[in-house]
Amino acid sequence: MAVLVVAALVGIIPESGPHLFFVTLYAQGMIPFSVLLTNSVVQDGHGMLPLLAHSRRDFTIVKTINLIIGLLVGLVVLATGW
């Protein structure tokens, strides 16, 4: 569960590089799919950088929504045993 939260928090970073860490861990069988899915839902690569430059408030709102949805999806998938 702690790794799921860490994956979600790392997903807040508006860059795609940190996501590769979780892809690699999943490919090696070190983390469950739910952790990778959580990071994937929260992580949106460089797509948020223009919004961050335009409005920090809107960036924070979008990332908060992504974080909540990502954690909910990850917890549901984790509960099903994936």
Side-chain angles (χ1 to χ4, degrees):
M1 171 102 159
V3 177
L4 189 86
V5 173
V6 169
L9 293 175
V10 169
I12 293 174
I13 300 169
E15 250 186 67
S16 56
H19 177 67
L20 292 176
F21 176 70
F22 293 99
V23 172
T24 304
L25 289 177
Y26 177 73
Q28 295 175 352
M30 298 179 74
I31 59 171
F33 177 71
S34 57
V35 174
L36 177 63
L37 181 62
T38 299
N39 182 259
S40 296
V41 170
V42 178
Q43 213 308 315
D44 42 30
H46 294 87
M48 289 295 288
L49 289 177
L51 182 60
L52 179 59
H54 177 70
S55 170
R56 288 185 181 187
R57 180 181 176 274
D58 291 343
F59 174 85
T60 304
I61 290 169
V62 170
K63 289 307 263 186
T64 301
I65 292 169
N66 284 351
L67 181 65
I68 292 168
I69 292 172
L71 283 171
L72 289 175
V73 168
L75 288 171
V76 168
V77 173
L78 182 64
T80 62
W82 278 37

